[in-house]
Amino acid sequence: MIEMQNVYKKYPNGIIAANGLNVHIKQGEFVYVVGPSGAGKSTFIKMMYREEKATDGSIMVNGINLSKLKNSKIPYFRRQIGVVFQDFKLLPTLTVFENVAFALEVIEEQPKSIKKRVMDVLNLVGLKHKARMLPTELSGGEQQRVSIARSIVNRPRVMIADEPTGNLDPETSWEIMKIFEEINNRGTTVVMATHNREIVNAIRHRVIAIEGGKIVRDENRGEYGYES
Ligand code: ADP
Ligand code: ADP
C-alpha cells in the first residue's frame, strides 16, 4: 500500500528532512505521525502524495513507484489519494457543493452522478443542509468537514491528513476524529500527522514518531509520547 525504502530528502538549502526512512503501511491501517516541530513529519507526508520528491530511495503508493512517476501522471495519481490540511484550503468563491464537486468534475462524470456523489459525501460529514453556503459562512469545524468531503469524493484508498485538527477547538477536533474513524472503518488507509496528545492517547492506533528526519518509534496502539 505505502512503502518507503531508504528514503532521503535534502532541500535545496541543504536541510536533510528525511534521513533514511523505512516504513510499510498496509491497506486499512490508521497511522498517527508524531514528533516535535521541524522533525520532518510534513516532509514524510508530502512525499507520499508527491508534493515533494524524495532525493533518494524508493516510495511505492497504491502500486505506483513515485520515484518513476512522470510529472504528467501526477494529477491521475493524486486522485487516488485524499489530502486534508490544517488550514482547509477551500476555494472561497465556490459553494460547499462546488468545492466538493470540483474534485470530481475533472474526471468527466455525468452531472447527475456528480450531484448524487457530492450529496452522499456531504451527508457523510453531516453538511448536506449547507451545500449552498460559502466557506466563509461556516465554522472552522464545518470547513474542515467540507475539506474531508472533498478528499473522499473520489473514493480514495488512502487519506493523508497534515494536522487536520490543528486549527480547531477540542470539542470540534473530537467530532472531526469521528469522521476519520468512520472513513477508516470503511477500509480507507489513514495517515495523520498530529500534535494532538489527547486524541492519540485516547483513540489508539499505530504511532510513528519522527525526530531529525528519522523514525525513532513505530508502535501499534502506541502513545503520543511527548509532553505537549
Ligand atoms: P514538521 O512537519 O515535523 O514540522 P517539516 O517536514 O515541515 O517538519 O520540516 C523538516 C525540516 O525541513 C525543517 O528543518 C524545515 O525547516 C525543513 N524544510 C521543510 N520544508 C522545506 C522547504 N520547502 N525548503 C527548505 N527546508 C524545508
Ligand atoms: P457508495 O458505494 O455509493 O459510496 P456506500 O454505502 O458504500 O455507498 O457509502 C455510503 C457513503 O459513504 C457514501 O456517501 C460514500 O461517499 C461514503 N464512502 C463509501 N466508501 C467510503 C470510503 N472508503 N471512505 C470514505 N467514505 C466512503
Side-chain angles (χ1 to χ4, degrees), residues 32 34 197 200-202 204-209 217 219-226:
Y32 295 118
V34 306
R197 181 177 204 272
V200 173
N201 287 343
R204 289 297 177 102
H205 291 296
R206 180 174 173 186
V207 173
I208 293 178
R217 181 158 57 94
E219 292 169 344
N220 288 322
R221 302 183 59 78
E223 289 186 12
Y224 183 72
Y226 299 95

Side-chain angles (χ1 to χ4, degrees), residues 117 120-121 124 152 155 183 186 188:
R117 181 69 194 150
D120 278 352
V121 289
L124 182 85
I152 60 174
R155 298 184 176 86
I183 290 169
R186 290 167 191 240
T188 307

Side-chain angles (χ1 to χ4, degrees), residues 11 13 15 17 36-43 52:
Y11 284 111
N13 61 5
I15 288 179
S37 287
K41 303 182 294 298
S42 293
T43 301
E52 291 291 348

Side-chain angles (χ1 to χ4, degrees), residues 125-167:
V125 300
L127 278 183
K128 210 171 169 177
H129 57 300
K130 298 204 170 173
R132 291 165 189 274
M133 291 194 176
L134 291 169
T136 47
E137 300 177 276
L138 304 179
S139 69
E142 287 171 333
Q143 290 183 54
Q144 191 58 297
R145 286 164 189 266
V146 177
S147 100
I148 292 170
R150 177 185 59 189
S151 79
I152 60 174
V153 74
N154 286 313
R155 298 184 176 86
R157 296 172 72 208
V158 185
M159 163 112 173
I160 291 172
D162 200 349
E163 303 217 27
T165 64
N167 281 344

Side-chain angles (χ1 to χ4, degrees), residues 4-16:
M4 292 194 182
Q5 284 178 347
N6 291 318
V7 169
Y8 289 83
K9 174 68 187 180
K10 188 178 183 179
Y11 284 111
N13 61 5
I15 288 179
I16 295 171

Side-chain angles (χ1 to χ4, degrees), residues 1-2 23-27 29 31 48 189 191 206 208:
M1 162 84 325
I2 300 176
V23 74
H24 183 86
I25 297 171
K26 291 202 218 40
Q27 177 65 41
E29 275 198 275
V31 182
M48 289 178 191
T189 309
V191 180
R206 180 174 173 186
I208 293 178

